[in-house]
Amino acid sequence: MVYMYFKRFLDLVFSLLGLIILFPLFLFLIIFIKLDSPGPVLFKQKRVGINKKYFNILKFRTMRIDTPMDTPTHLLENPDQWITKAGRFLRKTSLDELPQIINIIKGEMSIIGPRPALWNQDDLIAERDKYGANSVPVGLTGWAQINGRDELEIEVKAKLDGDYVEKIGLMMDVRCFFGTVVKVLRTDGIVEGGTGKKKSDEEKR
């Protein structure tokens, strides 16, 4: 598909530009995190990328270094006890996701696409297989994120990811981008601790 090459070109241009423009913000957040709690600035986590290939996603660390590994936030006992003061701000504003610009530059992610599942989220991965959603680049944000975000149950999220695959193109990506801006400004759909029986379990740290 010709658009996928154009999509990669846009990813490189906008991510490199974003890295340059946002450098002062990156520097501020690095200092903020280091002063707030001991530990590394960045958090790496094994995720599932295009064609179910593994890669390490990058985030600003939002949780204590002694937090149980590879456990979805909503499965932790009293999740708030693990989140740092800086982490609460980073999560509320979604600024913890900014280091994924590096993943985009490396070609492991796209700006727009299904959010990468945890390596052990077999249920979400299997559901996405039904819609071909594991065969497109994963993204910093996507159609499911502007239609529910953390509130979505796995079956619903996978269906929305499938809808994105069916309609993938420039206009769809533009809708997702500006829809994300609105969501972030309104902090819609961010749920710590989970709200349902079977949720999107993407861990945020």
Side-chain angles (χ1 to χ4, degrees):
M1 185 177 180
V2 176
Y3 176 68
M4 299 308 291
Y5 294 100
F6 182 57
K7 181 179 175 70
R8 177 59 186 154
F9 172 74
L10 292 178
D11 284 339
L12 277 173
V13 171
F14 286 111
S15 56
L16 287 170
L17 186 61
L19 196 60
I20 295 171
I21 294 174
L22 296 173
F23 179 75
L25 178 59
F26 268 79
L27 190 59
F28 168 77
L29 293 176
I30 288 170
I31 296 172
F32 184 27
I33 294 167
K34 291 299 291 184
L35 291 177
D36 179 59
S37 64
V41 171
L42 294 179
F43 170 69
K44 296 180 181 180
Q45 188 179 59
K46 188 177 178 182
R47 294 286 181 115
V48 180
I50 186 172
N51 298 322
K52 294 188 278 192
K53 293 181 179 178
Y54 294 136
F55 73 101
N56 288 319
I57 199 171
L58 299 176
K59 293 188 176 190
F60 281 125
R61 182 176 57 84
T62 63
M63 302 184 84
R64 290 164 24 194
I65 57 175
D66 57 341
T67 304
M69 292 293 292
D70 289 323
T71 302
T73 302
H74 80 271
L75 293 182
L76 292 171
E77 184 177 351
N78 187 15
D80 286 341
Q81 70 175 317
W82 303 105
I83 303 173
T84 64
K85 292 179 181 178
R88 287 188 178 86
F89 168 76
L90 290 168
R91 288 176 172 226
K92 185 175 182 180
T93 58
S94 294
L95 290 174
D96 59 318
E97 309 287 354
L98 281 181
Q100 287 159 49
I101 291 176
I102 298 171
N103 291 118
I104 295 171
I105 293 172
K106 291 171 66 177
E108 297 168 332
M109 293 178 63
S110 176
I111 295 174
I112 307 297
R115 281 296 294 165
L118 282 166
W119 65 273
N120 56 1
Q121 275 187 292
D122 296 330
D123 44 4
L124 176 58
I125 296 167
E127 283 292 317
R128 283 177 168 172
D129 270 335
K130 297 177 182 178
Y131 304 104
N134 290 314
S135 301
V136 297
V138 294
L140 180 63
T141 186
W143 187 238
Q145 276 56 54
I146 66 172
N147 285 284
R149 207 168 175 176
D150 294 337
E151 295 175 343
L152 294 176
E153 294 186 359
I154 284 174
E155 294 89 343
V156 177
K157 181 173 185 177
K159 178 61 170 62
L160 286 168
D161 289 333
D163 292 342
Y164 171 77
V165 174
E166 288 184 6
K167 302 173 184 177
I168 192 168
L170 181 59
M171 291 308 299
M172 185 60 163
D173 281 357
V174 169
R175 287 180 67 185
C176 290
F177 179 82
F178 285 105
T180 299
V181 173
V182 173
K183 280 279 183 179
V184 170
L185 292 176
R186 295 170 57 183
T187 64
D188 283 350
I190 303 176
V191 180
E192 298 298 350
T195 58
K197 179 179 178 183
K198 195 176 182 184
K199 293 295 179 183
S200 167
D201 296 340
E202 290 179 324
E203 178 183 6
K204 287 190 171 185
R205 290 195 179 177

Coordinates of all heavy atoms in Angstrom, one line a residue, residues 96-129:
D96 N 4.1 11.2 29.9 CA 4.9 10.0 30.1 C 5.2 9.3 28.8 O 6.1 8.5 28.7 CB 4.3 9.1 31.1 CG 2.9 8.6 30.8 OD1 2.1 9.4 30.3 OD2 2.7 7.4 31.0
E97 N 4.3 9.5 27.8 CA 4.4 8.8 26.5 C 5.5 9.5 25.5 O 5.8 8.9 24.5 CB 3.1 8.8 25.8 CG 1.9 8.3 26.6 CD 1.9 6.8 26.9 OE1 2.8 6.1 26.3 OE2 1.1 6.3 27.7
L98 N 5.9 10.7 25.9 CA 6.8 11.4 24.9 C 8.0 10.7 24.5 O 8.4 10.8 23.3 CB 7.2 12.7 25.6 CG 6.2 13.9 25.5 CD1 6.8 15.1 26.2 CD2 5.7 14.2 24.1
P99 N 8.7 9.9 25.3 CA 9.9 9.2 24.8 C 9.6 8.2 23.7 O 10.6 7.8 23.0 CB 10.4 8.4 26.1 CG 10.0 9.3 27.2 CD 8.6 9.7 26.8
Q100 N 8.4 7.9 23.4 CA 8.1 7.0 22.3 C 8.4 7.7 21.0 O 8.3 7.0 19.9 CB 6.6 6.5 22.4 CG 6.4 5.5 23.5 CD 5.0 5.4 24.0 OE1 4.1 5.3 23.2 NE2 4.8 5.5 25.3
I101 N 8.7 8.9 21.0 CA 9.1 9.6 19.8 C 10.4 8.9 19.3 O 10.6 8.7 18.1 CB 9.4 11.1 20.0 CG1 8.1 11.9 20.3 CG2 10.2 11.7 18.9 CD1 8.4 13.3 20.7
I102 N 11.2 8.4 20.2 CA 12.4 7.7 19.8 C 12.0 6.3 19.2 O 12.7 5.9 18.2 CB 13.3 7.4 21.1 CG1 13.7 8.8 21.7 CG2 14.5 6.6 20.8 CD1 14.4 8.7 23.0
N103 N 11.0 5.7 19.7 CA 10.6 4.4 19.1 C 10.1 4.7 17.7 O 10.3 3.8 16.8 CB 9.4 3.8 19.9 CG 9.8 3.3 21.3 OD1 9.4 3.7 22.3 ND2 10.7 2.3 21.3
I104 N 9.5 5.8 17.5 CA 8.9 6.1 16.1 C 10.1 6.4 15.2 O 10.1 5.9 14.0 CB 8.0 7.4 16.2 CG1 6.8 7.1 17.0 CG2 7.6 7.8 14.8 CD1 5.9 8.3 17.3
I105 N 11.1 7.1 15.6 CA 12.3 7.4 14.8 C 13.0 6.1 14.4 O 13.4 5.9 13.3 CB 13.3 8.3 15.5 CG1 12.6 9.7 15.6 CG2 14.6 8.4 14.7 CD1 13.4 10.7 16.5
K106 N 13.0 5.1 15.3 CA 13.7 3.8 15.1 C 12.8 2.9 14.2 O 13.3 1.9 13.8 CB 13.9 3.1 16.4 CG 15.0 3.8 17.3 CD 15.0 3.2 18.7 CE 15.5 1.8 18.6 NZ 15.6 1.2 20.0
G107 N 11.6 3.3 13.9 CA 10.8 2.5 13.1 C 10.0 1.4 13.8 O 9.4 0.5 13.2
E108 N 10.0 1.4 15.1 CA 9.3 0.4 15.9 C 7.8 0.8 16.1 O 7.0 -0.1 16.4 CB 10.0 0.3 17.3 CG 11.4 -0.2 17.2 CD 12.2 -0.1 18.5 OE1 11.9 0.8 19.3 OE2 13.1 -0.9 18.7
M109 N 7.5 2.1 15.9 CA 6.2 2.5 16.1 C 5.9 3.6 15.0 O 6.8 4.1 14.3 CB 6.0 3.2 17.5 CG 6.1 2.2 18.7 SD 5.9 3.0 20.3 CE 4.3 3.7 20.1
S110 N 4.6 4.0 15.0 CA 4.2 5.1 14.1 C 3.5 6.1 15.1 O 3.3 5.8 16.2 CB 3.1 4.5 13.1 OG 2.6 5.6 12.3
I111 N 3.2 7.3 14.5 CA 2.5 8.3 15.3 C 1.1 7.8 15.6 O 0.6 7.9 16.7 CB 2.5 9.6 14.7 CG1 4.0 10.2 14.6 CG2 1.7 10.6 15.4 CD1 4.1 11.5 13.8
I112 N 0.5 7.2 14.5 CA -0.9 6.8 14.6 C -1.0 5.3 14.4 O -0.4 4.8 13.4 CB -1.8 7.5 13.6 CG1 -1.7 9.0 13.8 CG2 -3.3 7.0 13.8 CD1 -2.2 9.6 15.1
G113 N -1.7 4.5 15.2 CA -1.8 3.1 15.0 C -2.4 2.5 16.3 O -2.5 3.1 17.3
P114 N -2.7 1.2 16.3 CA -3.1 0.5 17.5 C -2.1 0.6 18.6 O -0.9 0.5 18.3 CB -3.4 -0.9 17.1 CG -3.6 -0.9 15.6 CD -2.7 0.3 15.1
R115 N -2.5 0.9 19.8 CA -1.5 0.9 20.9 C -0.9 -0.4 21.1 O -1.5 -1.4 21.1 CB -2.2 1.4 22.2 CG -2.4 2.9 22.3 CD -1.1 3.7 22.3 NE -0.3 3.5 23.5 CZ 0.9 3.8 23.6 NH1 1.6 4.4 22.6 NH2 1.6 3.6 24.8
P116 N 0.5 -0.5 21.3 CA 1.2 -1.8 21.4 C 0.8 -2.5 22.7 O 0.8 -2.0 23.8 CB 2.6 -1.4 21.4 CG 2.7 0.0 21.8 CD 1.4 0.6 21.3
A117 N 0.4 -3.8 22.5 CA 0.0 -4.6 23.7 C 1.2 -5.0 24.5 O 2.3 -5.1 23.9 CB -0.8 -5.8 23.2
L118 N 1.0 -5.3 25.7 CA 2.0 -6.0 26.5 C 2.3 -7.4 26.0 O 1.4 -8.0 25.4 CB 1.5 -6.1 28.0 CG 1.6 -4.9 28.9 CD1 0.8 -5.1 30.1 CD2 3.0 -4.6 29.2
W119 N 3.5 -7.8 26.1 CA 3.9 -9.1 25.6 C 3.0 -10.3 26.1 O 2.9 -11.3 25.4 CB 5.4 -9.4 25.9 CG 5.7 -9.6 27.4 CD1 5.9 -8.6 28.3 CD2 5.6 -10.8 28.1 NE1 6.1 -9.1 29.6 CE2 5.9 -10.5 29.5 CE3 5.4 -12.1 27.8 CZ2 6.0 -11.4 30.5 CZ3 5.5 -13.1 28.8 CH2 5.7 -12.8 30.1
N120 N 2.5 -10.1 27.3 CA 1.7 -11.2 27.9 C 0.2 -11.0 27.8 O -0.6 -11.6 28.4 CB 2.1 -11.4 29.4 CG 1.9 -10.1 30.2 OD1 1.6 -9.1 29.7 ND2 2.3 -10.2 31.5
Q121 N -0.2 -10.0 27.0 CA -1.7 -9.7 26.8 C -2.2 -10.6 25.6 O -2.6 -10.2 24.6 CB -1.9 -8.3 26.4 CG -2.0 -7.4 27.6 CD -2.4 -6.0 27.2 OE1 -1.6 -5.3 26.5 NE2 -3.6 -5.5 27.5
D122 N -2.2 -11.9 25.9 CA -2.6 -12.9 24.9 C -4.1 -12.7 24.4 O -4.4 -12.9 23.2 CB -2.5 -14.3 25.4 CG -1.0 -14.7 25.7 OD1 -0.2 -14.1 25.0 OD2 -0.8 -15.5 26.6
D123 N -4.9 -12.2 25.3 CA -6.3 -12.0 24.9 C -6.5 -10.9 23.9 O -7.2 -11.0 22.9 CB -7.2 -11.8 26.2 CG -6.6 -10.9 27.2 OD1 -5.5 -10.3 26.9 OD2 -7.2 -10.7 28.2
L124 N -5.8 -9.8 24.2 CA -5.9 -8.6 23.3 C -5.3 -9.0 21.9 O -5.8 -8.6 20.9 CB -5.2 -7.4 23.9 CG -5.1 -6.2 23.0 CD1 -6.5 -5.7 22.6 CD2 -4.4 -5.0 23.8
I125 N -4.1 -9.6 22.0 CA -3.4 -10.0 20.7 C -4.3 -10.9 19.9 O -4.4 -10.7 18.7 CB -2.1 -10.7 21.1 CG1 -1.1 -9.7 21.8 CG2 -1.4 -11.2 19.8 CD1 0.1 -10.3 22.4
A126 N -4.9 -11.9 20.5 CA -5.8 -12.8 19.8 C -7.0 -12.1 19.2 O -7.4 -12.4 18.1 CB -6.2 -13.9 20.7
E127 N -7.6 -11.2 19.9 CA -8.7 -10.4 19.4 C -8.3 -9.6 18.2 O -9.0 -9.5 17.2 CB -9.3 -9.5 20.5 CG -10.1 -10.2 21.5 CD -11.4 -10.7 21.0 OE1 -12.1 -10.0 20.2 OE2 -11.8 -11.9 21.3
R128 N -7.1 -9.0 18.3 CA -6.7 -8.1 17.2 C -6.4 -9.0 15.9 O -6.5 -8.5 14.8 CB -5.4 -7.4 17.6 CG -5.7 -6.2 18.5 CD -4.4 -5.5 18.9 NE -4.7 -4.2 19.5 CZ -3.8 -3.5 20.1 NH1 -2.5 -3.9 20.2 NH2 -4.1 -2.3 20.7
D129 N -6.0 -10.2 16.1 CA -5.8 -11.1 15.0 C -7.0 -11.3 14.1 O -7.0 -11.4 12.9 CB -5.3 -12.5 15.4 CG -3.8 -12.6 15.6 OD1 -3.1 -11.9 14.9 OD2 -3.3 -13.5 16.3

